[in-house]
Amino acid sequence: MQNSFSESYKAAGVDVTAGYRAVELMKQHVARTMTSGVLDGIGGFGGLLELDLEGMPHPVLCAGTDGVGTKLKLAFLMDKHDTVGIDCVAMCVNDIICCGAKPLLFLDYIACGKNVPEKIATIVSGVAEGCVQAGCALSGGETAEMPGFYPEDEYDLAGFSVGAVDRAAILDKEQVAAGDALVALRSSGVHSNGFSLVRKVFDIGRSGDLMQYKEELGMTLGEALLTPTKIYVKPVLAVLEQLKVKSISHITGGGFYENIPRALPQGKCAKINKNSIEVPPIFRLIERVGNIPERDMFNTFNMGVGMVLIVDREDAQKAVEILAQNGEQAKVIGYVADGEKGIELC
């Protein structure tokens, strides 16, 4: 790469040597994610991963893609870029685990106004941490310097993950029956959804807004809001190995009202005891400051529940115990009933 330099391209706002420098800086982070099947490092035209399909007579690939959304605006204001990569990974791998699939690889895409190698490497450090938490390889990615399209100090971050599951092990929501239990996994906070509303509620436009210490949060507003999305892959895989899980819902944009029904068959509804949900202080603050109706809160945010497993009532306590053994706080928050597809907060 030593001879790859264009003065004309640099004058137009794209410094290709900055890209090479960023790749060198991120290699140490990517190395943390290498799994046994990875056949090459970053820098080639594609990432190679040898599949270990032992125990999968009929393997099926499962893919998911997502971004971080306007939560990135807070990262820009706070000049903190080491956690949004975790969010990016989480939004993808938490989706594919809902099918019962184990994530195998992840690729990221960073588009920026100006390639500052140290900043890009810091972003990728978060992506790598997310991959480590999910047990998948960061097998490649792309950094695109796009002057005139993005402001120099801003960027967008997206990615996708590919996993595998045996066809017989794919979760089938049609098996969900009345009386099944809803096991809720605790969220770490707002995760990566609803930030357009969050920014409106707090009128976030200056870093000073985010640096205010909030007694009820025990930290600054910015620290609470930038808390990365929790990655549930390993704990949920542990449950899948030991129990029959009928369906899983990842609580993302649209909150309870949109996401839980996606895990239910026609003719079944979810009865949820809202008093059983431990709502984190950040949501009460958003609700109070924004004067937001309770239904809108549950229709926008996760309200402290990042994922819901649907299991036989007899297996519910065992599922909670397995999750606790794997570092997750979980509890039963309701049950499945006959009725029009949807949810009811009781």
Side-chain angles (χ1 to χ4, degrees), residues 94-141:
N94 284 346
D95 274 356
I96 67 175
I97 194 66
C98 290
C99 298
K102 180 184 185 302
L104 300 174
L105 60 85
F106 184 85
L107 278 80
D108 63 358
Y109 175 79
I110 304 169
C112 57
K114 181 176 177 61
N115 188 334
V116 179
E118 292 75 15
K119 180 188 284 190
I120 298 299
T122 300
I123 297 167
V124 173
S125 74
V127 176
E129 173 58 28
C131 289
V132 169
Q133 292 183 24
C136 65
L138 177 54
S139 60

Side-chain angles (χ1 to χ4, degrees), residues 10-254:
K10 184 176 182 181
V14 178
D15 184 355
V16 294
T17 59
Y20 304 143
R21 171 65 176 158
V23 170
E24 287 302 313
L25 290 174
M26 69 178 68
K27 281 184 177 179
Q28 61 178 312
H29 306 299
V30 176
R32 297 178 56 216
T33 76
M34 293 298 98
T35 58
S36 59
V38 176
L39 299 183
D40 64 348
I42 60 173
F45 288 99
L48 299 174
L49 183 77
E50 184 176 15
L51 293 177
D52 178 4
L53 301 177
E54 185 177 356
M56 293 188 190
H58 301 286
V60 176
L61 294 180
C62 179
T65 185
D66 211 334
V68 181
T70 63
K71 184 175 186 176
L72 291 175
K73 285 285 189 181
L74 280 67
F76 304 157
L77 289 168
M78 296 183 69
D79 194 24
K80 180 174 172 56
H81 311 283
D82 60 340
T83 60
V84 289
I86 300 175
D87 291 296
C88 190
V89 176
M91 296 306 293
C92 298
V93 298
N94 284 346
D95 274 356
I96 67 175
I97 194 66
C98 290
C99 298
K102 180 184 185 302
L104 300 174
L105 60 85
F106 184 85
L107 278 80
D108 63 358
Y109 175 79
I110 304 169
C112 57
K114 181 176 177 61
N115 188 334
V116 179
E118 292 75 15
K119 180 188 284 190
I120 298 299
T122 300
I123 297 167
V124 173
S125 74
V127 176
E129 173 58 28
C131 289
V132 169
Q133 292 183 24
C136 65
L138 177 54
S139 60
E142 172 69 10
T143 301
E145 190 172 19
M146 302 169 65
F149 195 88
Y150 292 95
E152 283 197 359
D153 58 349
E154 295 190 4
Y155 57 86
D156 198 7
L157 174 62
F160 79 93
S161 182
V162 176
V165 59
D166 187 66
R167 184 164 184 169
I170 297 174
L171 301 191
D172 180 9
K173 67 181 180 182
E174 297 303 322
Q175 296 184 17
V176 172
D180 287 345
L182 305 175
V183 178
L185 282 70
R186 190 166 175 78
S187 74
S188 57
V190 184
H191 283 186
S192 297
N193 304 104
F195 274 88
S196 293
L197 179 55
V198 167
R199 291 185 298 112
K200 181 177 185 295
V201 165
F202 295 114
D203 193 23
I204 294 172
R206 305 184 311 277
S207 59
D209 300 325
L210 298 171
M211 297 308 293
Q212 295 176 6
Y213 184 85
K214 300 291 185 180
E215 196 68 40
E216 62 262 61
L217 303 178
M219 61 185 75
T220 68
L221 177 61
E223 287 171 333
L225 292 174
L226 271 188
T227 300
T229 307
K230 187 166 274 193
I231 292 176
Y232 299 105
V233 171
K234 292 179 180 178
V236 171
L237 284 175
V239 178
L240 290 171
E241 289 170 1
Q242 300 179 56
L243 291 177
K244 179 178 177 57
V245 178
K246 297 184 178 181
S247 192
I248 301 178
S249 174
H250 181 201
I251 311 301
T252 57

Side-chain angles (χ1 to χ4, degrees), residues 3-17:
N3 296 324
S4 180
F5 175 75
S6 170
E7 192 67 52
S8 299
Y9 208 7
K10 184 176 182 181
V14 178
D15 184 355
V16 294
T17 59

